[in-house]
């Protein structure tokens, strides 16, 4: 049973427009959420995170929104650039302040930003 | 530059053979992890270690073994008991705490 779901396997966006990547989770005990970006044949790189005590975190072009009542988070990229084309993984943690060995990852969404 | 080094980048395994994937980090992180990624799937945790000489099983530990004799090193052995070893293997490290994971560039393992 998937605890972290990214229901859109792929997303295509025009350069300069907004990209919105969605993530749903089932376990209300998750207390920390992260987004990672991954290029082919490379390891994921950390993008942005949010604690469950917040509903928004912003870092440059990237903003993550958390809706705890809906068990939903989203990553907004504005404006989208061709270099943003990658697979984006949503991850959730059950143990904020502890080991991240218990990070639960979604299956990823492949974002394509077209010039 | 600090980082995580995985080797080799590509590895082939014959039937009945054990193979070992290397992971070294110079970030002075306490915790290290091994994940497996299959096409179209998320990352699944194989093993993790929060301290030298100690490690715990993740969600899919069967058919794998690890050691943590040094803080910098966390090698993963894929044993012959792992019947479906073809996958992309990722090593990661972090400080114990709410810190982000740092990943290596991965090893693609294939079966001959």
């Amino acid at each position: 049973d998937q605890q972290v779901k990214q229901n859109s396997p792929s997303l295509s966006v025009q350069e300069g427009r907004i990209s919105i990547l969605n993530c749903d989770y089932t376990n209300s005990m998750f207390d920390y959420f992260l987004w990672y970006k991954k290029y082919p044949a490379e390891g994921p790189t950390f993008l942005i995170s949010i604690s469950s005590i917040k509903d928004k975190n912003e870092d440059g072009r990237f903003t993550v929104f958390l809706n705890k009542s809906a068990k939903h988070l989203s990553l907004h990229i504005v404006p989208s650039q061709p270099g943003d084309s990658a697979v984006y993984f949503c991850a959730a943690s059950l143990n904020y302040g502890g080991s991240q060995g218990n990070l639960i990852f979604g299956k990823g969404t492949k974002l394509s930003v077209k010039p | 530059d600090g980082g995580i080094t995985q080797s080799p980048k590509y590895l082939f395994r014959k039937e009945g053979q054990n193979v070992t994937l290397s992971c070294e980090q110079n970030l002075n992180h306490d915790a290290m992890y091994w994940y497996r990624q299959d096409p179209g799937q998320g990352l699944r945790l194989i093993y993790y270690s929060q301290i030298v000489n100690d490690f715990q099983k993740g969600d899919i530990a069967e058919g794998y073994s690890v050691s943590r004799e040094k803080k910098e090193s966390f090698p993963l052995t894929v044993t012959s008991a792992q019947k479906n070893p073809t996958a992309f293997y990722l090593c990661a490290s972090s400080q114990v705490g709410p810190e982000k994971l740092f990943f290596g560039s991965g090893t693609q393992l294939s079966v001959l």
Side-chain angles (χ1 to χ4, degrees), chain B residues 10-41:
Chain B
Y10 300 96
L11 186 59
F12 297 91
R13 193 192 89 166
K14 295 180 182 178
E15 289 287 337
Q17 185 183 41
N18 292 356
V19 292
T20 297
L21 285 62
S22 170
C23 179
E24 304 277 334
Q25 55 100 358
N26 60 4
L27 298 166
N28 199 34
H29 285 166
D30 294 308
M32 296 186 74
Y33 313 83
W34 276 104
Y35 286 89
R36 168 179 171 144
Q37 185 190 13
D38 295 280
Q41 301 295 316

Side-chain angles (χ1 to χ4, degrees), chain A residues 38-43, chain B residues 9-10 88 90 104-106:
Chain A
K38 184 181 181 301
Y39 293 115
E42 293 184 11
Chain B
K9 194 161 183 67
Y10 300 96
F88 190 57
L90 287 158
S105 57

Side-chain angles (χ1 to χ4, degrees), chain B residues 49-96:
Chain B
S49 167
Q50 295 183 328
I51 195 170
V52 174
N53 292 323
D54 187 47
F55 47 82
Q56 282 78 43
K57 293 182 179 180
D59 300 321
I60 55 165
E62 187 174 347
Y64 300 97
S65 66
V66 293
S67 63
R68 186 85 185 278
E69 297 176 2
K70 298 186 300 182
K71 186 175 183 177
E72 302 80 20
S73 179
F74 192 40
L76 173 75
T77 297
V78 184
T79 74
S80 56
Q82 171 50 244
K83 298 306 179 188
N84 185 22
T86 297
F88 190 57
Y89 290 86
L90 287 158
C91 180
S93 71
S94 73
Q95 290 290 18
V96 176

